[in-house]
């Protein structure tokens, strides 16, 4: 009997704590699409990325051209000339690889630039979501745009438009 009473109390406490929790959803894609600063930053990143990719491609093309020329001239070259041409080709390929790593690597310039441009926007969104969650008493706010496995979320608990309004953007 005592065990049954303890189990019943645990179940009642669990049910009341579950009912007291409040949840909300946001759609980060929708929010970011409606923030002009994000679109400008994204466009700037795309342009920079294209420019840097063109530089890498130019070095790669130079290496390929050196290699093709080497292939055409290989029979006429001495050992020293072959070695010098091979070294030049390897050096050009290394330069292209190093430049690609510098610009596009995990700690590369594009990553740093993206962080510098996007961090303030993301911080602003986070603070707005936090303010709304604190005001309304939400314990959990989920992003429906991320791949979290949310199958259905009621539009009644979606606060994306409210976040945009808090940031000063109309939707």
């Amino acid at each position: 009997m005592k065990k049954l009473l303890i189990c019943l109390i645990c179940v009642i406490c669990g049910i009341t704590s579950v009912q007291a929790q409040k949840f909300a959803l946001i759609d980060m894609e929708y929010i970011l699409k409606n923030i002009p600063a994000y679109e400008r930053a994204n466009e700037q990143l795309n342009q920079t990325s294209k420019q840097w990719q063109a530089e890498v491609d130019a070095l790669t093309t130079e290496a390929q051209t050196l290699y093709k020329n080497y292939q055409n001239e290989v029979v006429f070259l001495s050992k020293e000339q072959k070695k010098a041409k091979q070294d030049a080709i390897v050096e050009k390929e290394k330069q292209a690889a190093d430049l690609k790593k510098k610009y596009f690597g995990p700690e590369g310039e594009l990553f740093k630039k993206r962080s510098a441009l996007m961090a303030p926007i993301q911080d602003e969104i986070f603070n707005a979501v936090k303010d709304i969650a604190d005001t309304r008493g939400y314990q959990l706010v989920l992003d429906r745009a991320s791949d979290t496995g949310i199958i259905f979320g009621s539009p009644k608990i979606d606060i994306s438009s409210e976040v945009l309004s808090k940031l000063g953007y109309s939707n």
Side-chain angles (χ1 to χ4, degrees):
M1 186 70 180
K2 197 174 197 181
K3 288 182 182 179
L4 182 63
L5 184 61
I6 290 174
C7 287
L8 184 61
I9 290 172
C10 288
V11 169
I12 291 172
C13 289
I15 290 173
T16 57
S17 68
V18 169
Q19 290 176 347
Q21 294 178 355
K22 290 176 70 176
F23 304 98
L25 294 176
I26 60 169
D27 187 344
M28 281 298 286
E29 287 179 12
Y30 171 77
I31 292 170
L32 291 173
K33 248 190 261 180
N34 286 287
I35 297 178
Y38 175 78
E39 293 296 323
R40 285 191 302 273
N42 225 6
E43 183 59 34
Q44 186 177 356
L45 285 172
N46 287 338
Q47 289 174 356
T48 302
S49 177
K50 286 177 186 175
Q51 177 186 352
W52 288 343
Q53 187 62 48
E55 290 179 35
V56 171
D57 290 344
L59 280 177
T60 304
T61 302
E62 284 181 43
Q64 290 171 348
T65 303
L66 286 174
Y67 181 72
K68 286 177 185 173
N69 291 342
Y70 171 77
Q71 289 290 327
N72 292 334
E73 301 169 350
V74 72
V75 291
F76 305 114
L77 300 175
S78 67
K79 258 187 174 176
E80 296 83 28
Q81 290 173 324
K82 285 181 185 177
K83 178 77 171 132
K85 294 237 181 211
Q86 289 171 349
D87 290 344
I89 293 167
V90 168
E91 179 60 29
K92 195 58 78 172
E93 288 173 341
K94 185 180 180 316
Q95 286 175 357
D98 289 346
L99 190 62
K100 186 174 186 175
K101 183 179 178 185
K102 176 187 171 192
Y103 287 150
F104 302 109
E107 296 295 320
E109 297 296 319
L110 188 64
F111 175 79
K112 291 174 186 173
K113 190 167 185 136
R114 177 176 284 122
S115 295
L117 290 172
M118 298 300 181
I121 297 168
Q122 292 170 335
D123 291 344
E124 194 177 358
I125 293 170
F126 172 79
N127 290 332
V129 170
K130 187 177 180 310
D131 288 347
I132 292 168
D134 289 344
T135 302
R136 291 177 141 195
Y138 295 127
Q139 282 83 26
L140 180 67
V141 178
L142 299 171
D143 179 13
R144 74 171 38 191
S146 67
D147 215 6
T148 58
I150 297 174
I151 296 171
F152 173 76
S154 173
K156 292 177 184 175
I157 62 171
D158 190 330
I159 60 169
S160 301
S161 295
E162 189 175 341
V163 171
L164 281 172
S165 296
K166 183 139 185 91
L167 293 170
Y169 302 104
S170 61
N171 43 354

